[in-house]
């Protein structure tokens, strides 16, 4: 089996990361914050009665807690000397607090007393005893209901299976944010627009845009064409490849845009085999290059179902489940040929297809059968010498970059569904990433599911043609943990208690920050829950991946000039306003040229979506226009540098509030559902052979240059 030796030498990236289900020897120590942040707050050693204000009732109570543990006495000398360590002794305990001075007078690196940590823990338990149970509305949960019920029971929360008149803390929807239109507060487990964004076509367009800007970083997504508008481009490119080398005969997989559970998927080797029509209507879908050399286990092809929690969009918070599922085909794999293209049990890993195969193996073991845990597969690979930490690091990078690709359009859906300034619920969502490992162990993104199955039963044939659901231990082990720990992270009462504990710490003149690993290992007040199975990967790896969020900055400009609340498209007047405000017009680019550009782009995009009743320029069309404007203004630069330069120019003209750091809070509130969900098509270009077709308007002079590769992996600290 190939190793990552060449890639490691090329990238030079530290790949130390805790892998799913790793043993204690494979775990890493938590990251510790440095610098002068909240954890470096000064601890006063002595306060005189004259200078201290009279404490309130709460201050007295907390001060007495500190006094019961012994008074704090300073033993410091030469505090003005650079680098001198200051120590605080807690009388009666023998415990020491150490701090180190800096030239600016601040103190850093507080080593906290064990007794004070115990005091904080005890105070937290006192507050926890007074907490009311969190309420969860499960009336719309659908197939995830059983796993959700188990999770609520483990958390000792209160379920409302039929809903209730007063607001619940959490609403668990089965399909979309709009499953219940009467929510005015609390938290909902769906984002508006997520279903639309994760359809095959929209996901391909979002990733394709990122491939234009960062071709090396986004090479984990197969080359794709959108049907039917790019059919001619697809046909032309394949014929050119075959004419150049007659021995090359690639295979392609066709996926319907809104398909799920393997429905409508088929393999082809020639463009003439495409099924483009359903009756009188053209089929919307994606055709992708088929991965012909996947990693095999027991001679079987398999994929990984990884569960990813988006805790919030603003700020962006991403968690990855440490445990996932692997779904196996039920026939030994052979490279595709004209004879075996129709063998779905050999080529397609979808559980819903393979469960109907006579070779499907239901197993109660996590390491055998046709559905296994991810950790069992990784351990098996590790036994063969595979660097699974590096594989896991690659998967983390793939997930973060995919989420960054879809966030810009999600923001547009948000402002359309969510009236700003109105009270409403916040949102979170569990996504299902389907990932394939190639023979060289490189992860490839197959698709992302907005509604991954959280069913903890599996189908079993009890009589010929008769199936019923029976418990699945593997599904229950993974999915209950994901749902339970998602609820724990979103627990509104815990957030309130954390605020109270931090307030107590500040009043007691001791600020003890809660590290990420401490949060993962924390238990509830009864001590019955295991550590969190969800690991934060963003903003933890903010420094490694924040440079990718260029399109999100373009989306912020787009949203700013939409004008009418709830609108998703830019009108001609708003587009002219954008050009004038950012001072992008001039003698060589008049406002008449601006109007022609607007008409040219919007006409082409609206023609590709004949069912759309909304006029104007959508986000993807605006991105095309923005790239064109950047290429005109900064001709001598490479594409990414052109976009960055134009962004900086626009943001400087608009002032600080247009910058990426200052964004309006996107809290979800009830809004009327739109009758039409718009899709933004991609401009077909039959001349282009790149996996990321360039979608510019009337641009003969743009330049598409590749840049030095950036790391595809997360740099993980010990």
């Amino acid at each position: 089996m190939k190793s990552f030796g060449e890639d490691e030498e090329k990238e030079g990236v530290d790949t130390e990361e805790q892998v799913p289900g790793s043993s204690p020897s494979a775990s890493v120590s938590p990251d510790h914050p440095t610098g002068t942040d909240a954890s470096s707050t000064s601890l006063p050693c002595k306060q005189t009665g004259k200078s201290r204000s009279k404490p309130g009732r709460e201050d007295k109570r907390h001060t007495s807690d500190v006094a019961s543990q012994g008074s704090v006495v300073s033993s410091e000398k030469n505090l003005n000397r650079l680098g001198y360590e200051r120590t605080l002794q807690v009388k009666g305990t023998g415990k020491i607090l150490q701090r180190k001075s800096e030239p600016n007078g601040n103190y850093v690196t507080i080593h906290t007393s064990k007794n004070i940590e115990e005091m904080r823990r005890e105070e937290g338990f006192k507050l926890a005893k007074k907490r009311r149970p969190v309420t969860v509305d499960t009336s719309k949960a659908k197939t995830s209901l059983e796993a959700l019920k188990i999770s609520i029971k483990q958390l000792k929360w209160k379920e409302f299976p039929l809903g209730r008149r007063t607001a619940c803390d959490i609403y668990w929807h089965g399909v979309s944010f709009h499953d219940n239109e009467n929510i005015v507060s609390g938290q909902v487990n769906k984002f508006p627009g997520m279903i639309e964004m994760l359809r095959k076509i929209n996901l391909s367009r979002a990733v394709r845009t990122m491939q234009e800007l960062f071709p090396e970083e986004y090479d984990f997504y197969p080359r794709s064409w959108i049907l039917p508008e790019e059919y001619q481009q697809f046909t032309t490119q394949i014929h050119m490849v075959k004419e150049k080398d007659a021995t090359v005969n690639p295979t392609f997989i066709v996926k319907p845009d809104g398909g799920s559970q393997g429905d409508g998927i088929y393999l082809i080797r020639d463009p003439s085999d495409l099924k483009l029509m359903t009756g009188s209507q053209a089929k919307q879908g994606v055709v992708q290059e088929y991965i012909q050399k996947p990693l095999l286990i027991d001679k079987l092809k398999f994929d990984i179902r990884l569960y990813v929690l988006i805790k919030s969009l603003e700020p962006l918070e991403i968690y990855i489940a440490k445990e996932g599922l692997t779904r196996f085909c039920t026939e030994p794999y052979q490279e595709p040929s004209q004879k075996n293209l129709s063998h779905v049990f050999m080529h397609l890993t979808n559980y819903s297809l393979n469960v109907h195969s006579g070779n499907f193996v239901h197993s109660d073991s996590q390491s055998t059968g046709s559905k296994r845990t991810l950790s069992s597969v990784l351990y098996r690979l590790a036994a063969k010498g595979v660097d699974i930490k590096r594989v896991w690091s690659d998967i983390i990078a793939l997930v973060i970059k995919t989420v960054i690709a879809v966030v810009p359009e999600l923001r547009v859906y948000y402002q359309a569904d969510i009236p700003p300034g109105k009270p409403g619920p916040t949102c979170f969502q569990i996504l299902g990433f389907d990932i394939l490992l190639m023979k060289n162990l490189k992860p490839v993104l197959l698709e992302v599911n907005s509604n991954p199955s959280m069913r903890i039963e599996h189908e079993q044939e009890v009589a010929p043609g008769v199936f019923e659901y029976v418990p699945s231990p593997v599904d229950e082990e993974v999915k209950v943990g994901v749902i339970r720990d998602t609820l724990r992270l979103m627990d509104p009462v815990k957030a309130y208690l954390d605020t109270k504990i931090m307030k107590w710490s500040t009043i007691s003149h001791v600020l003890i920050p809660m590290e990420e690993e401490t949060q993962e290992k924390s238990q509830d007040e009864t001590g019955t829950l295991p550590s969190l199975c969800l690991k934060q990967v963003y903003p933890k790896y903010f420094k490694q991946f924040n440079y990718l969020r260029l399109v999100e900055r373009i989306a912020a400009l787009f949203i700013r000039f939409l004008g009418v609340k709830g609108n998703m498209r830019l009108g001609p007047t708003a587009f002219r306003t954008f050009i004038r405000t950012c001072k992008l017009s001039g003698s060589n680019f008049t406002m008449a040229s601006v109007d022609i550009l607007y008409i040219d782009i919007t006409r082409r995009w609206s023609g590709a979506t004949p069912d759309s009743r909304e006029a104007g320029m959508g986000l993807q069309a605006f991105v095309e226009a923005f790239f064109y404007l950047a290429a005109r203004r900064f001709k001598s630069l490479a594409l990414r540098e052109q976009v960055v330069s134009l962004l900086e120019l626009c943001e400087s003209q608009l002032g600080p509030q247009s910058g990426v750091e200052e964004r309006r809070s996107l809290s979800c509130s009830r809004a009327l559902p739109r009758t039409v969900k718009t899709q933004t098509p991609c401009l077909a270009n039959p001349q282009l052979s790149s996996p990321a077709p360039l979608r510019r308007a009337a641009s003969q002079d743009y330049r598409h240059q590749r840049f030095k590769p950036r790391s595809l992996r997360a740099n993980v600290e010990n």
Side-chain angles (χ1 to χ4, degrees), residues 69 90 93-97 111-122 504 510 512:
Q69 296 293 328
V90 183
T93 65
K95 303 300 179 182
I96 299 296
L97 304 184
H111 303 285
T112 59
S113 164
K114 180 180 178 181
N115 289 66
I116 295 178
E117 291 178 351
E118 291 175 353
M119 290 161 52
R120 175 182 175 174
R121 193 178 300 111
E122 290 173 2
W504 167 82
V510 178
I512 307 173

Side-chain angles (χ1 to χ4, degrees), residues 111-153:
H111 303 285
T112 59
S113 164
K114 180 180 178 181
N115 289 66
I116 295 178
E117 291 178 351
E118 291 175 353
M119 290 161 52
R120 175 182 175 174
R121 193 178 300 111
E122 290 173 2
E123 183 68 15
F125 288 162
K126 289 178 183 178
L127 292 171
K129 289 179 181 179
K130 301 177 182 179
R131 66 175 286 171
R132 63 172 178 79
V134 179
T135 57
V136 184
D137 184 329
T138 63
S139 60
K140 306 291 183 180
K142 297 188 180 294
T143 57
S144 60
L145 182 59
E146 291 304 315
L148 183 59
K149 284 179 176 290
I150 294 174
S151 300
I152 294 172
K153 186 176 180 180

Side-chain angles (χ1 to χ4, degrees), residues 58 61-62 119-134 155 157 488 490-506 512 514 519 522-526:
E58 189 174 12
R61 174 167 53 87
H62 293 308
M119 290 161 52
R120 175 182 175 174
R121 193 178 300 111
E122 290 173 2
E123 183 68 15
F125 288 162
K126 289 178 183 178
L127 292 171
K129 289 179 181 179
K130 301 177 182 179
R131 66 175 286 171
R132 63 172 178 79
V134 179
L155 293 169
W157 290 4
R488 289 167 71 184
M490 304 308 301
D491 181 355
V493 179
K494 180 182 179 298
Y496 170 76
L497 292 177
D498 288 345
T499 304
K500 292 284 289 182
I501 293 173
M502 186 60 70
K503 182 179 179 182
W504 167 82
S505 300
T506 306
I512 307 173
M514 179 83 73
Q519 290 177 351
S522 63
Q523 298 180 342
D524 68 338
E525 59 271 19
T526 62

Side-chain angles (χ1 to χ4, degrees), residues 626-666:
F626 195 89
F627 284 4
Y628 170 72
L629 294 169
R632 281 187 59 96
R633 195 173 188 93
F634 305 100
K635 294 182 180 180
S636 62
L637 302 178
L639 171 64
R640 187 168 67 200
E641 295 168 351
Q642 291 173 348
V643 172
V644 170
S645 299
L646 187 60
L647 272 170
E648 292 174 349
L649 174 63
C650 292
E651 290 171 354
S652 64
Q653 296 293 338
L654 293 170
Q657 69 176 21
S658 66
V660 71
E661 296 301 330
E662 194 283 335
R663 301 190 183 100
R664 182 179 54 198
S665 176
L666 299 175

Side-chain angles (χ1 to χ4, degrees), residues 316-319 400 404 535-543 545-546 549:
L316 183 59
E317 292 186 65
I318 308 170
Y319 288 75
I400 295 174
I404 286 176
K535 180 179 182 62
Q536 186 191 89
V537 295
Y538 198 91
K540 179 178 180 180
Y541 302 131
F542 174 89
K543 291 181 180 179
F545 298 100
N546 190 56
R549 300 177 72 176

Side-chain angles (χ1 to χ4, degrees), residues 16-80:
E16 290 297 321
E17 177 60 89
Q18 183 174 352
V19 298
S22 61
S23 61
S25 61
S27 63
V28 297
S29 59
D31 302 321
H32 296 282
T34 59
T36 55
D37 55 9
S39 64
S40 60
T41 305
S42 298
L43 276 77
C45 301
K46 187 176 181 180
Q47 288 184 336
T48 62
K50 294 180 181 179
S51 62
R52 183 169 55 185
S53 60
K54 185 177 181 180
R57 183 177 304 173
E58 189 174 12
D59 297 71
K60 289 180 180 179
R61 174 167 53 87
H62 293 308
T63 304
S64 65
D65 290 338
V66 176
S68 66
Q69 296 293 328
S71 59
V72 178
V73 180
S74 170
S75 60
E76 54 180 318
K77 293 181 180 180
N78 300 328
L79 294 181
N80 293 329

Side-chain angles (χ1 to χ4, degrees), residues 377-390:
V377 169
L378 292 180
Y379 280 139
R380 184 163 177 179
L381 295 177
K384 296 182 178 181
V386 173
D387 185 355
I388 58 174
K389 288 185 178 180
R390 191 175 182 87

Side-chain angles (χ1 to χ4, degrees), residues 175-396:
V175 179
S176 77
F177 173 76
H178 296 289
D179 283 358
N180 187 341
E181 294 291 343
N182 301 314
I183 302 174
V184 294
S185 65
Q187 301 178 83
V188 183
N189 71 317
K190 302 292 180 185
F191 285 107
M194 187 68 82
I195 293 178
E196 291 79 8
M197 264 315 300
L198 295 184
R199 286 178 177 270
K200 309 294 190 301
I201 290 178
N202 284 338
L203 177 62
S204 295
R205 286 176 179 146
V207 175
R208 179 180 291 180
T209 299
M210 300 304 293
Q211 286 176 330
E212 295 181 40
L213 293 169
F214 308 96
E216 285 82 13
E217 289 86 337
Y218 280 84
D219 65 349
F220 56 79
Y221 192 68
R223 185 168 53 165
S224 306
W225 295 264
I226 295 170
L227 301 176
E229 59 260 30
E230 293 181 356
Y231 170 75
Q232 189 60 48
Q233 174 186 337
F234 171 64
T235 302
T236 302
Q237 290 183 11
I238 301 310
H239 286 165
M240 288 175 61
V241 170
K242 291 184 177 181
E243 288 175 3
K244 188 176 181 180
D245 188 348
T247 62
V248 176
N249 194 12
T251 303
F252 302 91
I253 184 168
V254 185
K255 304 176 182 179
D257 183 38
S260 61
Q261 300 181 344
D263 183 37
I265 297 178
Y266 60 97
L267 273 61
I268 63 170
R269 306 201 84 184
D270 191 273
S272 61
D273 295 331
L274 279 171
K275 305 168 186 176
L276 295 175
M277 303 296 291
T278 303
S280 60
Q281 294 185 344
K283 283 186 176 181
Q284 297 283 332
V286 171
V287 55
Q288 289 182 332
E289 194 168 13
Y290 181 78
I291 306 300
Q292 300 193 77
K293 295 187 181 298
L295 180 66
L296 304 179
I297 291 182
D298 299 331
K299 299 182 180 180
L300 299 174
K301 180 181 176 181
F302 69 95
D303 74 350
I304 297 169
R305 165 58 61 86
L306 192 63
Y307 297 99
V308 175
L309 168 66
I310 301 183
K311 189 171 182 282
S312 72
L313 285 184
E314 198 59 45
L316 183 59
E317 292 186 65
I318 308 170
Y319 288 75
I320 293 181
K322 298 177 183 178
E323 184 64 284
L325 297 172
T326 51
R327 292 92 55 91
F328 284 75
C329 288
T330 49
E331 286 185 15
Y333 179 77
Q334 299 174 5
E335 287 196 16
S337 63
Q338 201 62 43
K339 294 181 179 180
N340 65 25
L341 285 183
S342 60
H343 293 199
V344 293
F345 299 147
M346 175 189 298
H347 296 296
L348 303 183
T349 55
N350 303 74
Y351 164 79
S352 55
L353 294 176
N354 283 279
V355 73
H356 298 292
S357 167
N359 298 327
F360 192 93
V361 178
H362 293 285
S363 174
D364 292 343
S365 170
Q366 297 184 2
S367 57
T368 60
S370 297
K371 184 186 287 188
R372 312 174 193 177
T373 60
L374 173 59
S375 59
S376 69
V377 169
L378 292 180
Y379 280 139
R380 184 163 177 179
L381 295 177
K384 296 182 178 181
V386 173
D387 185 355
I388 58 174
K389 288 185 178 180
R390 191 175 182 87
V391 174
W392 185 238
S393 183
D394 286 348
I395 291 174
I396 288 176

